[in-house]
Amino acid sequence: MLEIIEESCTGCGICVDKCPFNALEMKDEVAVVNENKCTLCGVCVEACPVDAMEIEDKQENTSQVDLSAYDGVWVLAEQRSNKLLDVSLELVSEARKLADELDEEVSAVLLGDDIEHGAQELIAYGADHVYLIEDEALKDYRTNAYTHVTAELIEEYKPEIVLLGATHNGRDLGPRLASRLETGLTADCTELAIDQEKEILLQTRPAFGGNLMATIICPDHRPQMSTVRPGVMVKSEPDYSRTGNITKAEVDLGDEIESEVKNRIFNINSHLHDAEIFTRIKEIVKEASESVNLEEAEIIVAGGRGVGEPERFTVIEELASELGGEVGASRAVVDEGWIAQEHQVGQTGKTVQPKLYIACGISGAIQHRAGMENSDYIIAINTDKDAEIFNVCDYGIVGDLHEIVPLLCKAFKGEGDNQTKEEVVAS
Ligand code: FAD
């Protein structure tokens, strides 16, 4: 609850202006809070110059959950076609850091069929323990089967923290698990840390369209669950000499899941027919668009509105092709329909970590930067010397991209001044 300390309030009105929810007003030169509108976001508390506002800390554990029964940091690993996704290795690396701070163990859960090699890889990246569940029915992700098996494991072993990739499957599984386990879930975290004093997970993510970073906690329920997008956390160096335990768990799928789901859905919505409820994978058809692999690309050449018009995007494609890289884009040009959404980099696009990111005609809005700031080297080309992108780049070129990009292409082709591609990169 937000408390106004009336004797300290000077009636300056700063809090009223700052409140994003119009939950404050001035009455008789004292701030008054409308509790129906206040979300306890804390912006007013930060803004108050005389410390006249306080958010009452809810110390009480209202959930009656025995928090001490929970222990360990878990990663729900993901595989496609029996190959671990990079995001799972990134999360295990991050889980290792969190677990070391808590002096706890890292466990990974791996579901699939014929995927034991994946368990070894998870150990090399920092897992102490892998719960390996192999079954033909788990070969490919299916909502009911994966939710059922993972929830059972979590209920039995009670991890303190559970991390998932914010992939299509992770975004499907995470909320279902959180609901079934009656806990919270923070989606799309960009930073995870441990509050040393309270020993709880601090889950930071962009809020209000990326204009504010919010740190979210889950103090009364367990596990504390977060999803993290691919490319946000950094993979550690694997150590293939590391050893760990692999627990192979048996699961009873099939009838059990079907009857459980049937009961649940029929209770809520009795007119649904079986055929509308159960999922069977008949065939997996890969979209041609999967050829855009921005998250794992080492070089990305990205174009923004500064390219001018869709036809002129070829200049970006040519440089990307010359460097053996992928084409990225800002949301502005995706929204304009110049290029497909799978090329979008940023808060609502992909998070990338290439060795080289060349931003051409991109202003560098916070939502774009959120997806590319972790690139090893950033080169920006922009006509506006004050463009925000120049604040995050390693090398900036002020000028028209339509003049500069073809020159770079020529140089990389070795048509410039007899330099090789390697020499151009080095210079
Ligand atoms: P502009 O901002 O219009 O910038 C164009 C730049 O090109 C300018 O800096 C200009 O100086 C330069 N320029 C012009 N002509 C030339 C030339 N000939 N040569 C060189 N430079 C030139 N954006 C994203 O990119 N990714 C996201 O995921 C994303 N998510 C968002 C989520 C939310 C909730 C919101 C509110 C916004 C989001 N945005 C996102 C949009 C973001 O705020 C910006 O609007 C967008 O990034 C701007 O794209 P841009 O830099 O291409 O265009």
Side-chain angles (χ1 to χ4, degrees):
M1 192 183 150
L2 177 67
E3 200 191 335
I4 316 284
I5 305 159
E6 288 186 12
E7 48 281 20
S8 303
C9 179
T10 58
C12 68
I14 292 176
C15 58
V16 176
D17 295 339
K18 293 277 178 187
C19 176
F21 303 100
N22 290 329
L24 287 160
E25 60 177 318
M26 280 295 157
K27 273 194 188 151
D28 300 330
E29 299 199 350
V30 172
V32 177
V33 60
N34 178 339
E35 281 172 17
N36 292 329
K37 290 185 177 175
C38 176
T39 64
L40 300 181
C41 68
V43 168
C44 57
V45 179
E46 294 266 316
C48 178
V50 290
D51 294 333
M53 317 188 100
E54 266 177 17
I55 292 178
E56 217 175 280
D57 205 2
K58 191 159 60 82
Q59 294 291 350
E60 213 185 328
N61 173 10
T62 50
S63 74
Q64 307 294 314
V65 173
D66 175 11
L67 304 183
S68 65
Y70 290 79
D71 184 51
V73 183
W74 276 28
V75 173
L76 305 186
E78 254 187 81
Q79 51 83 24
R80 301 268 158 84
S81 308
N82 290 10
K83 189 179 176 296
L84 279 179
L85 295 195
D86 258 5
V87 66
S88 302
L89 304 174
E90 291 160 9
L91 288 181
V92 169
S93 309
E94 183 66 17
R96 181 72 268 157
K97 291 186 215 154
L98 299 173
D100 286 346
E101 284 197 49
L102 289 165
D103 200 17
E104 292 180 4
E105 291 203 328
V106 174
S107 300
V109 177
L110 183 56
L111 274 54
D113 193 22
D114 193 17
I115 34 135
E116 191 158 353
H117 57 280
Q120 296 296 350
E121 205 170 353
L122 290 163
I123 290 169
Y125 277 86
D128 301 302
H129 203 115
V130 179
Y131 295 96
L132 179 67
I133 298 103
E134 293 179 293
D135 191 293
E136 216 186 325
L138 298 172
K139 185 172 185 302
D140 298 305
Y141 176 79
R142 282 190 307 147
T143 304
N144 299 337
Y146 271 57
T147 308
H148 173 81
V149 173
T150 316
E152 294 243 309
L153 280 172
I154 293 175
E155 275 163 356
E156 179 160 354
Y157 294 102
K158 300 195 179 339
E160 197 176 356
I161 294 171
V162 173
L163 308 179
L164 300 90
T167 57
H168 291 298
N169 295 350
R171 285 170 200 258
D172 184 61
L173 180 63
R176 277 168 190 274
L177 280 175
S179 157
R180 191 169 293 195
L181 300 164
E182 297 185 353
T183 188
L185 171 79
T186 306
D188 289 349
C189 294
T190 51
E191 201 184 318
L192 297 171
I194 300 293
D195 179 325
Q196 289 291 357
E197 194 190 323
K198 296 182 182 152
E199 297 203 331
I200 55 172
L201 183 65
L202 303 174
Q203 306 161 94
T204 303
R205 56 151 298 152
F208 298 111
N211 293 317
L212 200 84
M213 295 306 280
T215 297
I216 295 163
I217 56 170
C218 177
D220 300 336
H221 296 264
R222 291 294 179 271
Q224 303 161 86
M225 292 182 61
S226 321
T227 67
V228 180
R229 285 196 205 188
V232 170
M233 300 301 174
V234 180
K235 253 196 299 185
S236 58
E237 277 301 311
D239 172 2
Y240 290 100
S241 64
R242 270 191 100 241
T243 52
N245 299 320
I246 299 177
T247 303
K248 292 188 181 180
E250 295 273 320
V251 287
D252 182 14
L253 294 160
D255 288 351
E256 195 184 331
I257 293 176
E258 296 197 351
S259 59
E260 185 192 326
V261 173
K262 211 184 289 180
N263 290 338
R264 189 164 295 188
I265 294 186
F266 280 177
N267 287 342
I268 299 166
N269 205 345
S270 57
H271 69 270
L272 283 176
H273 188 267
D274 283 18
E276 290 173 293
I277 302 163
F278 304 129
T279 51
R280 296 259 182 276
I281 297 172
K282 294 194 134 185
E283 191 187 358
I284 294 179
V285 182
K286 289 200 173 157
E287 265 189 86
S289 62
E290 280 198 11
S291 58
V292 184
N293 192 358
L294 284 181
E295 283 110 333
E296 290 176 25
E298 296 210 329
I299 297 177
I300 295 175
V301 184
R305 198 164 7 219
V307 172
E309 48 191 331
E311 295 73 28
R312 304 189 85 187
F313 227 84
T314 46
V315 75
I316 305 292
E317 286 156 5
E318 273 166 28
L319 182 57
S321 152
E322 189 53 45
L323 292 171
E326 295 278 4
V327 173
S330 71
R331 176 161 152 180
V333 295
V334 170
D335 287 351
E336 296 276 1
W338 296 3
I339 190 163
Q341 206 274 337
E342 70 227 16
H343 292 271
Q344 186 184 318
V345 173
Q347 187 191 320
T348 43
K350 292 185 177 153
T351 306
V352 299
Q353 256 181 25
K355 289 193 173 141
L356 176 63
Y357 189 90
I358 307 182
C360 311
I362 293 178
S363 57
I366 185 170
Q367 297 90 353
H368 186 80
R369 297 198 318 263
M372 46 67 80
E373 263 174 337
N374 285 342
S375 308
D376 288 354
Y377 282 97
I378 300 171
I379 298 178
I381 305 168
N382 200 303
T383 42
D384 175 6
K385 69 174 174 40
D386 296 321
E388 195 61 37
I389 194 79
F390 288 133
N391 294 328
V392 291
C393 73
D394 298 279
Y395 300 98
I397 305 172
V398 179
D400 182 349
L401 72 93
H402 291 294
E403 287 173 18
I404 293 156
V405 174
L407 282 177
L408 284 175
C409 255
K410 262 189 170 182
F412 284 122
K413 277 187 185 142
E415 293 171 7
D417 48 8
N418 295 332
Q419 278 183 303
T420 64
K421 195 185 287 186
E422 288 68 31
E423 284 165 346
V424 175
V425 173
S427 63

Short mmCIF file of all heavy atoms in Angstrom, two decimals, residues 208-210 229 303-308 329-333 344-350 360-368 381-384 387 399-402, ligand 1:
data_model
loop_
_atom_site.label_atom_id
_atom_site.label_comp_id
_atom_site.label_asym_id
_atom_site.label_seq_id
_atom_site.Cartn_x
_atom_site.Cartn_y
_atom_site.Cartn_z
N PHE A 208 6.45 -0.61 -19.80
CA PHE A 208 5.94 0.62 -20.42
C PHE A 208 6.61 0.89 -21.77
O PHE A 208 7.25 1.92 -21.97
CB PHE A 208 6.12 1.83 -19.49
CG PHE A 208 5.36 1.70 -18.21
CD1 PHE A 208 6.02 1.52 -17.02
CD2 PHE A 208 3.97 1.69 -18.22
CE1 PHE A 208 5.31 1.37 -15.85
CE2 PHE A 208 3.26 1.53 -17.05
CZ PHE A 208 3.93 1.38 -15.86
N GLY A 209 6.51 -0.09 -22.66
CA GLY A 209 7.03 0.09 -24.02
C GLY A 209 8.53 0.24 -24.06
O GLY A 209 9.07 0.82 -24.99
N GLY A 210 9.21 -0.26 -23.03
CA GLY A 210 10.67 -0.23 -23.04
C GLY A 210 11.23 1.04 -22.42
O GLY A 210 12.43 1.24 -22.37
N ARG A 229 14.66 -14.47 -23.43
CA ARG A 229 14.75 -14.68 -24.88
C ARG A 229 16.10 -15.22 -25.31
O ARG A 229 17.12 -14.93 -24.67
CB ARG A 229 14.59 -13.34 -25.57
CG ARG A 229 13.19 -12.88 -25.59
CD ARG A 229 13.19 -11.84 -26.59
NE ARG A 229 12.15 -10.91 -26.37
CZ ARG A 229 11.88 -9.97 -27.25
NH1 ARG A 229 12.61 -9.85 -28.32
NH2 ARG A 229 10.90 -9.17 -27.03
N GLY A 303 19.08 -2.87 -41.71
CA GLY A 303 18.63 -1.62 -42.34
C GLY A 303 17.43 -1.05 -41.61
O GLY A 303 16.60 -1.79 -41.08
N GLY A 304 17.36 0.28 -41.59
CA GLY A 304 16.22 0.95 -40.99
C GLY A 304 15.53 1.86 -41.98
O GLY A 304 15.80 1.79 -43.18
N ARG A 305 14.70 2.76 -41.45
CA ARG A 305 13.91 3.64 -42.31
C ARG A 305 14.80 4.52 -43.19
O ARG A 305 14.40 4.97 -44.26
CB ARG A 305 12.99 4.51 -41.46
CG ARG A 305 11.89 5.09 -42.28
CD ARG A 305 10.71 5.66 -41.54
NE ARG A 305 10.79 5.75 -40.11
CZ ARG A 305 9.75 5.49 -39.31
NH1 ARG A 305 8.62 5.10 -39.82
NH2 ARG A 305 9.88 5.63 -38.01
N GLY A 306 16.05 4.73 -42.73
CA GLY A 306 16.98 5.54 -43.51
C GLY A 306 17.31 4.95 -44.86
O GLY A 306 17.85 5.64 -45.73
N VAL A 307 16.98 3.68 -45.08
CA VAL A 307 17.22 3.06 -46.40
C VAL A 307 16.36 3.77 -47.45
O VAL A 307 16.73 3.83 -48.61
CB VAL A 307 16.92 1.53 -46.35
CG1 VAL A 307 16.97 0.90 -47.73
CG2 VAL A 307 17.90 0.83 -45.42
N GLY A 308 15.25 4.31 -47.02
CA GLY A 308 14.46 5.17 -47.92
C GLY A 308 13.26 4.53 -48.55
O GLY A 308 12.15 5.04 -48.44
N ALA A 329 16.69 -5.89 -39.40
CA ALA A 329 15.89 -4.71 -39.73
C ALA A 329 15.33 -4.09 -38.46
O ALA A 329 15.20 -4.76 -37.44
CB ALA A 329 14.74 -5.10 -40.66
N SER A 330 15.00 -2.81 -38.56
CA SER A 330 14.30 -2.16 -37.44
C SER A 330 12.80 -2.44 -37.61
O SER A 330 12.34 -2.84 -38.69
CB SER A 330 14.55 -0.66 -37.46
OG SER A 330 13.87 -0.09 -38.56
N ARG A 331 12.07 -2.18 -36.54
CA ARG A 331 10.62 -2.43 -36.62
C ARG A 331 9.95 -1.46 -37.60
O ARG A 331 8.96 -1.81 -38.24
CB ARG A 331 10.02 -2.27 -35.23
CG ARG A 331 8.53 -2.42 -35.24
CD ARG A 331 7.99 -2.71 -33.88
NE ARG A 331 6.64 -2.22 -33.74
CZ ARG A 331 5.93 -2.35 -32.63
NH1 ARG A 331 6.45 -2.93 -31.58
NH2 ARG A 331 4.71 -1.90 -32.57
N ALA A 332 10.53 -0.26 -37.72
CA ALA A 332 9.92 0.73 -38.60
C ALA A 332 9.75 0.16 -40.01
O ALA A 332 8.69 0.29 -40.63
CB ALA A 332 10.77 1.99 -38.63
N VAL A 333 10.79 -0.52 -40.52
CA VAL A 333 10.71 -1.02 -41.90
C VAL A 333 9.88 -2.31 -41.99
O VAL A 333 9.29 -2.60 -43.02
CB VAL A 333 12.11 -1.21 -42.54
CG1 VAL A 333 12.81 0.11 -42.68
CG2 VAL A 333 12.97 -2.19 -41.77
N GLN A 344 13.28 -8.73 -37.90
CA GLN A 344 13.25 -7.62 -36.93
C GLN A 344 14.12 -7.89 -35.70
O GLN A 344 14.03 -8.93 -35.06
CB GLN A 344 11.83 -7.34 -36.47
CG GLN A 344 11.72 -6.11 -35.58
CD GLN A 344 10.32 -5.90 -35.06
OE1 GLN A 344 9.36 -6.06 -35.80
NE2 GLN A 344 10.21 -5.55 -33.80
N VAL A 345 14.93 -6.90 -35.39
CA VAL A 345 15.79 -6.96 -34.20
C VAL A 345 15.23 -5.99 -33.17
O VAL A 345 14.86 -4.87 -33.52
CB VAL A 345 17.24 -6.55 -34.57
CG1 VAL A 345 18.11 -6.44 -33.34
CG2 VAL A 345 17.83 -7.55 -35.56
N GLY A 346 15.18 -6.43 -31.91
CA GLY A 346 14.75 -5.49 -30.87
C GLY A 346 13.81 -6.11 -29.88
O GLY A 346 13.61 -7.33 -29.85
N GLN A 347 13.24 -5.24 -29.09
CA GLN A 347 12.41 -5.68 -27.97
C GLN A 347 11.26 -6.59 -28.41
O GLN A 347 10.96 -7.57 -27.74
CB GLN A 347 11.83 -4.43 -27.30
CG GLN A 347 11.08 -4.70 -26.03
CD GLN A 347 10.33 -3.45 -25.59
OE1 GLN A 347 10.86 -2.34 -25.70
NE2 GLN A 347 9.12 -3.61 -25.14
N THR A 348 10.63 -6.27 -29.52
CA THR A 348 9.55 -7.12 -30.00
C THR A 348 9.98 -7.95 -31.20
O THR A 348 9.17 -8.56 -31.87
CB THR A 348 8.30 -6.27 -30.35
OG1 THR A 348 8.73 -5.10 -31.06
CG2 THR A 348 7.55 -5.86 -29.11
N GLY A 349 11.28 -7.94 -31.45
CA GLY A 349 11.84 -8.79 -32.50
C GLY A 349 12.81 -9.76 -31.87
O GLY A 349 12.56 -10.27 -30.79
N LYS A 350 13.95 -9.94 -32.51
CA LYS A 350 14.91 -10.92 -31.99
C LYS A 350 16.02 -10.23 -31.21
O LYS A 350 16.37 -9.09 -31.49
CB LYS A 350 15.50 -11.73 -33.14
CG LYS A 350 14.42 -12.61 -33.75
CD LYS A 350 14.94 -13.51 -34.81
CE LYS A 350 13.80 -14.41 -35.30
NZ LYS A 350 14.00 -14.84 -36.67
N CYS A 360 22.48 0.31 -40.48
CA CYS A 360 22.47 1.29 -41.56
C CYS A 360 21.13 2.05 -41.56
O CYS A 360 20.07 1.43 -41.72
CB CYS A 360 22.62 0.61 -42.92
SG CYS A 360 23.97 -0.57 -42.98
N GLY A 361 21.18 3.33 -41.33
CA GLY A 361 19.94 4.14 -41.35
C GLY A 361 18.99 3.77 -40.25
O GLY A 361 17.78 3.77 -40.43
N ILE A 362 19.55 3.44 -39.10
CA ILE A 362 18.73 3.08 -37.92
C ILE A 362 19.04 4.12 -36.84
O ILE A 362 20.21 4.37 -36.52
CB ILE A 362 19.07 1.66 -37.42
CG1 ILE A 362 18.63 0.64 -38.47
CG2 ILE A 362 18.43 1.37 -36.07
CD1 ILE A 362 18.95 -0.81 -38.13
N SER A 363 17.98 4.72 -36.28
CA SER A 363 18.22 5.83 -35.34
C SER A 363 18.77 5.35 -34.00
O SER A 363 19.48 6.09 -33.33
CB SER A 363 16.92 6.60 -35.12
OG SER A 363 15.91 5.74 -34.65
N GLY A 364 18.42 4.11 -33.59
CA GLY A 364 18.92 3.60 -32.31
C GLY A 364 17.96 3.80 -31.17
O GLY A 364 18.37 4.08 -30.04
N ALA A 365 16.66 3.65 -31.45
CA ALA A 365 15.64 3.76 -30.39
C ALA A 365 15.90 2.68 -29.34
O ALA A 365 16.45 1.61 -29.67
CB ALA A 365 14.24 3.58 -30.99
N ILE A 366 15.49 2.94 -28.10
CA ILE A 366 15.77 2.01 -27.00
C ILE A 366 15.25 0.60 -27.31
O ILE A 366 15.89 -0.39 -26.99
CB ILE A 366 15.20 2.54 -25.66
CG1 ILE A 366 15.62 1.64 -24.51
CG2 ILE A 366 13.70 2.72 -25.69
CD1 ILE A 366 15.33 2.19 -23.14
N GLN A 367 14.11 0.54 -27.99
CA GLN A 367 13.53 -0.78 -28.29
C GLN A 367 14.38 -1.54 -29.31
O GLN A 367 14.40 -2.76 -29.31
CB GLN A 367 12.10 -0.65 -28.83
CG GLN A 367 11.13 -0.05 -27.85
CD GLN A 367 11.05 1.46 -27.93
OE1 GLN A 367 11.81 2.10 -28.64
NE2 GLN A 367 10.11 2.04 -27.21
N HIS A 368 15.08 -0.82 -30.18
CA HIS A 368 15.98 -1.50 -31.14
C HIS A 368 17.26 -1.91 -30.41
O HIS A 368 17.71 -3.06 -30.53
CB HIS A 368 16.29 -0.60 -32.33
CG HIS A 368 17.08 -1.31 -33.39
ND1 HIS A 368 16.50 -2.16 -34.31
CD2 HIS A 368 18.42 -1.37 -33.62
CE1 HIS A 368 17.44 -2.69 -35.07
NE2 HIS A 368 18.61 -2.23 -34.67
N ILE A 381 25.94 3.54 -39.43
CA ILE A 381 26.03 4.49 -40.54
C ILE A 381 24.74 5.32 -40.51
O ILE A 381 23.64 4.76 -40.58
CB ILE A 381 26.13 3.76 -41.90
CG1 ILE A 381 27.32 2.78 -41.88
CG2 ILE A 381 26.25 4.75 -43.05
CD1 ILE A 381 27.34 1.81 -43.05
N ASN A 382 24.88 6.62 -40.34
CA ASN A 382 23.70 7.46 -40.22
C ASN A 382 24.04 8.87 -40.67
O ASN A 382 25.15 9.35 -40.41
CB ASN A 382 23.22 7.47 -38.75
CG ASN A 382 21.77 7.88 -38.63
OD1 ASN A 382 21.39 8.96 -39.08
ND2 ASN A 382 20.97 7.02 -38.04
N THR A 383 23.09 9.53 -41.31
CA THR A 383 23.33 10.91 -41.77
C THR A 383 23.28 11.90 -40.61
O THR A 383 23.85 12.99 -40.70
CB THR A 383 22.26 11.32 -42.81
OG1 THR A 383 21.00 10.86 -42.34
CG2 THR A 383 22.53 10.77 -44.18
N ASP A 384 22.62 11.51 -39.52
CA ASP A 384 22.44 12.42 -38.39
C ASP A 384 23.53 12.14 -37.34
O ASP A 384 23.53 11.11 -36.68
CB ASP A 384 21.04 12.20 -37.80
CG ASP A 384 20.81 13.01 -36.55
OD1 ASP A 384 21.69 13.82 -36.19
OD2 ASP A 384 19.76 12.83 -35.91
N ALA A 387 22.45 11.00 -33.92
CA ALA A 387 21.56 9.82 -33.78
C ALA A 387 22.00 9.00 -32.55
O ALA A 387 23.19 8.83 -32.29
CB ALA A 387 21.61 8.97 -35.04
N GLY A 399 27.09 9.75 -42.57
CA GLY A 399 26.98 9.90 -44.01
C GLY A 399 25.82 9.11 -44.57
O GLY A 399 25.09 8.43 -43.83
N ASP A 400 25.66 9.23 -45.89
CA ASP A 400 24.54 8.58 -46.58
C ASP A 400 24.88 7.10 -46.80
O ASP A 400 25.88 6.77 -47.45
CB ASP A 400 24.33 9.29 -47.93
CG ASP A 400 23.15 8.71 -48.69
OD1 ASP A 400 22.63 7.64 -48.30
OD2 ASP A 400 22.76 9.34 -49.71
N LEU A 401 24.04 6.24 -46.28
CA LEU A 401 24.31 4.79 -46.40
C LEU A 401 24.38 4.35 -47.86
O LEU A 401 25.08 3.39 -48.18
CB LEU A 401 23.28 3.97 -45.61
CG LEU A 401 21.85 3.87 -46.13
CD1 LEU A 401 21.66 2.63 -47.00
CD2 LEU A 401 20.88 3.83 -44.97
N HIS A 402 23.65 5.04 -48.74
CA HIS A 402 23.67 4.63 -50.15
C HIS A 402 24.99 4.95 -50.83
O HIS A 402 25.28 4.45 -51.90
CB HIS A 402 22.48 5.25 -50.89
CG HIS A 402 21.19 4.65 -50.44
ND1 HIS A 402 20.85 3.34 -50.66
CD2 HIS A 402 20.19 5.18 -49.68
CE1 HIS A 402 19.68 3.08 -50.10
NE2 HIS A 402 19.26 4.16 -49.49
P1 FAD B 1 13.83 6.08 -37.63
O1 FAD B 1 13.73 6.29 -36.18
O2 FAD B 1 12.92 6.84 -38.51
O3 FAD B 1 15.34 6.38 -38.02
C1 FAD B 1 15.83 6.41 -39.32
C2 FAD B 1 17.28 6.86 -39.25
O4 FAD B 1 17.86 6.81 -40.51
C3 FAD B 1 17.47 8.29 -38.72
O5 FAD B 1 18.36 8.26 -37.61
C4 FAD B 1 18.06 9.05 -39.91
O6 FAD B 1 18.99 10.04 -39.52
C5 FAD B 1 18.72 7.95 -40.67
N1 FAD B 1 18.85 8.19 -42.12
C6 FAD B 1 17.95 8.74 -42.96
N2 FAD B 1 18.41 8.70 -44.23
C7 FAD B 1 19.64 8.12 -44.18
C8 FAD B 1 20.63 7.79 -45.16
N3 FAD B 1 20.42 8.02 -46.45
N4 FAD B 1 21.77 7.20 -44.73
C9 FAD B 1 22.00 6.95 -43.43
N5 FAD B 1 21.10 7.24 -42.46
C10 FAD B 1 19.93 7.80 -42.83
N6 FAD B 1 11.94 -0.95 -32.99
C11 FAD B 1 12.82 -1.88 -33.38
O7 FAD B 1 13.69 -1.64 -34.21
N7 FAD B 1 12.70 -3.17 -32.87
C12 FAD B 1 11.77 -3.53 -31.96
O8 FAD B 1 11.71 -4.68 -31.55
C13 FAD B 1 10.85 -2.51 -31.52
N8 FAD B 1 9.90 -2.79 -30.59
C14 FAD B 1 9.12 -1.79 -30.15
C15 FAD B 1 8.20 -2.05 -29.11
C16 FAD B 1 7.40 -1.05 -28.64
C17 FAD B 1 6.44 -1.36 -27.51
C18 FAD B 1 7.48 0.25 -29.19
C19 FAD B 1 6.63 1.36 -28.65
C20 FAD B 1 8.36 0.52 -30.22
C21 FAD B 1 9.17 -0.49 -30.72
N9 FAD B 1 10.09 -0.25 -31.74
C22 FAD B 1 10.96 -1.22 -32.09
C23 FAD B 1 10.07 1.01 -32.53
C24 FAD B 1 11.16 2.01 -32.11
O9 FAD B 1 10.68 2.82 -31.07
C25 FAD B 1 11.54 2.92 -33.29
O10 FAD B 1 10.39 3.56 -33.76
C26 FAD B 1 12.19 2.17 -34.46
O11 FAD B 1 13.26 1.39 -34.01
C27 FAD B 1 12.71 3.21 -35.46
O12 FAD B 1 13.23 2.55 -36.58
P2 FAD B 1 14.36 3.23 -37.48
O13 FAD B 1 15.53 3.55 -36.64
O14 FAD B 1 14.55 2.39 -38.68
O15 FAD B 1 13.63 4.56 -38.00
#
